[in-house]
Amino acid sequence: MHWADSEQDAAFRDEVRAFIRESFPAGYEPDPAGENSLEPEDALGYEWSADRVSPDPVRREHARAWAAALAGRGWVAPRLPEKYGGAGCSPMQELILQEEMMRAGVPTVNGIAAFLFAPTLLACGTEEQRAAHLPGIARGEVTWAQGFSEPDAGSDLASVRTRAVRRGGEYILNGQKVWTSLAQYADWLFVLARTDPDAPKHRGLTMLLVDARSPGVAIRPIRDLRGAEPFNEMFFTDVRVPAENLVGAENEGWKAAMTALGFERAGIGATIKYERVLAQLVEYLRSGQAASFVRDDAAVLRREIAQRYLEIRVLHNLARYTVSKQEVGEMPGYEASASLLFGAELNQRLARTGAGAFGPFANLWQRGEAPLGALFTHLRFDSVAATFIGGAAEIQRQIIACRGLGLPR
């Protein structure tokens, strides 16, 4: 397939680059600690969801100014229709926008809400729900978190046990979620709960929209291997959820959940993140400052780097293929799983290559002491979870085999 920009897409790419140069707030710098960044290889230290509520008034103002600038072009949630505050962009234009923001090293805004929840609500929600929730997302004023995984229901999402019981005009929600990204900063949650315990496990689930400030909601950050807190566990104790916050039909939440996961797994921005990381490694290795750190077997290291470069191009094609399906009106399916799986394993290989380049010096954790600011040391720790975030590698292989290749379960 030929993935070169069309004339129209090339013009849009130029427009995005000019906008970033002119509109990104001067002085909005990465946080050196980068404590709650989900992906330290991408614009290290930026986590817009945390920055928008930062105790540092300057950082908070920069984050909100950047959101306002993007919202003015409809580019916080670019594929939303204009009536909801989006720009009505095509899937390819959305990809270009994400690529250029990552290439420039500036943070995306409202990522979970804009790129995962908003298209799900557009596909599965009511017009009243869209009107109530999408404009706030598109302005960067309301953030969302995804309440799916549980202690005993991660990759096997159909085993969800959080219960929602209908009582009159509301649901009563009880249960626990875990590994919820950035929930400590969220205003709202979209939660998968069991409403029919007697139905087959894929059929008794319902998606509900839950105000994170509701009485009975408790959110507790989880400290990860890096010492960061990007994930959370959540507890629901007799939380009252209005019945109008039901997405789709009761007991048919599996469809909405799979729609959301399709957008999550598409991974259309990962290519540029990995390109940037690999380019940083090559530039550093070519510099004089790397001489005292780098291992001796340069020929082997060069081959590894060349292999990583080729794999990044493969990921680029997988991502573009997924977007091409969306361009003709199809939802991300097994193609998204292929992209997620390949990208997750590439993440780990890239981390090992970069860390391995520095031998024992890759064990230095402090950014000021380690080669390349300990980028690959942190990436290596972060990549441990890559093959089960968004669905374990084994589950993705099963999806590809059954839905893509037509093999029996």
Side-chain angles (χ1 to χ4, degrees):
M1 295 184 178
H2 182 59
W3 295 125
D5 287 344
S6 67
E7 185 176 339
Q8 180 181 6
D9 288 339
F12 182 73
R13 192 180 295 277
D14 289 341
E15 180 184 354
V16 171
R17 289 173 176 172
F19 169 81
I20 293 172
R21 287 194 303 269
E22 297 165 3
S23 303
F24 189 69
Y28 187 10
E29 299 290 342
D31 178 0
E35 288 218 346
N36 293 327
S37 176
L38 276 175
E39 297 167 298
E41 72 274 21
D42 173 28
L44 182 63
Y46 285 117
E47 182 41 72
W48 178 85
S49 296
D51 291 343
R52 71 182 278 268
V53 293
S54 172
D56 179 351
V58 175
R59 192 165 193 81
R60 186 172 64 246
E61 189 58 35
H62 283 149
R64 295 184 179 188
W66 178 227
L70 285 167
R73 303 292 291 268
W75 286 353
V76 170
R79 283 178 59 190
L80 285 181
E82 292 182 13
K83 69 176 182 177
Y84 300 125
C89 288
S90 69
M92 188 58 68
Q93 287 175 323
E94 180 187 67
L95 172 64
I96 289 170
L97 179 61
Q98 289 194 45
E99 284 182 342
E100 292 306 319
M101 290 176 70
M102 291 175 182
R103 188 169 280 124
V106 301
T108 54
V109 166
N110 221 0
I112 293 172
F115 299 111
L116 199 164
F117 173 68
T120 301
L121 195 65
L122 200 62
C124 303
T126 65
E127 180 53 38
E128 291 75 16
Q129 290 169 341
R130 296 174 193 136
H133 296 293
L134 294 182
I137 292 172
R139 291 191 299 268
E141 295 174 356
V142 183
T143 59
W144 288 72
Q146 174 189 10
F148 282 13
S149 294
E150 297 182 6
D152 295 316
S155 296
D156 184 15
L157 189 60
S159 295
V160 158
R161 293 191 295 181
T162 292
R163 286 293 312 276
V165 178
R166 180 73 178 260
R167 292 181 184 170
E170 61 188 10
Y171 289 90
I172 308 300
L173 187 66
N174 285 278
Q176 179 186 359
K177 298 292 180 178
V178 74
W179 311 122
T180 306
S181 301
L182 305 175
Q184 70 268 53
Y185 308 117
D187 301 301
W188 281 78
L189 314 166
F190 54 109
V191 176
L192 195 62
R194 187 161 300 283
T195 42
D196 186 351
D198 299 320
K201 64 181 187 177
H202 289 82
R203 298 184 181 275
L205 299 172
T206 296
M207 184 181 287
L208 297 172
L209 310 182
V210 181
D211 189 329
R213 296 158 295 187
S214 300
V217 176
I219 298 174
R220 302 175 187 170
I222 298 171
R223 189 169 293 273
D224 69 10
L225 280 171
R226 299 171 293 144
E229 295 180 344
F231 306 111
N232 299 264
E233 55 182 349
M234 302 191 298
F235 299 88
F236 304 103
T237 305
D238 294 330
V239 178
R240 297 178 179 275
V241 181
E244 58 265 28
N245 288 6
L246 164 69
V247 177
E250 185 176 298
N251 297 325
E252 295 183 9
W254 185 252
K255 176 184 176 182
M258 291 302 99
T259 299
L261 289 177
F263 289 111
E264 180 182 29
R265 292 168 176 167
I268 61 177
T271 301
I272 302 302
K273 293 186 296 188
Y274 299 153
E275 281 182 357
R276 291 182 67 234
V277 169
L278 191 63
Q280 285 178 270
L281 176 63
V282 171
E283 181 181 0
Y284 187 83
L285 293 176
R286 286 174 172 169
S287 72
Q289 57 186 322
S292 60
F293 295 114
V294 181
R295 71 191 199 197
D296 295 331
D297 53 343
V300 174
L301 181 57
R302 280 196 295 269
R303 285 196 294 271
E304 281 190 40
I305 290 173
Q307 183 64 31
R308 299 296 86 83
Y309 178 83
L310 292 174
E311 290 166 350
I312 289 170
R313 302 321 301 160
V314 171
L315 182 63
H316 171 87
N317 281 277
L318 288 172
R320 289 287 177 121
Y321 180 65
T322 301
V323 171
S324 73
K325 301 285 283 188
Q326 297 179 48
E327 284 274 283
V328 295
E330 297 183 23
M331 300 295 288
Y334 75 90
E335 301 89 354
S337 290
S339 183
L340 174 69
L341 175 63
F342 191 85
E345 294 183 341
L346 172 56
N347 185 346
Q348 295 177 339
R349 290 192 295 270
L350 181 60
R352 288 195 296 269
T353 293
F358 302 113
F361 293 99
N363 293 314
L364 293 174
W365 183 260
Q366 297 300 323
R367 300 187 190 280
E369 302 173 356
L372 200 54
L375 173 62
F376 283 94
T377 306
H378 287 249
L379 180 58
R380 183 179 56 181
F381 275 75
D382 188 59
S383 70
V384 170
T387 46
F388 54 86
I389 288 178
E394 293 80 3
I395 298 297
Q396 305 316 312
R397 286 188 169 89
Q398 182 171 314
I399 291 171
I400 296 165
C402 295
R403 302 180 192 172
L405 302 176
L407 298 176
R409 292 181 64 85

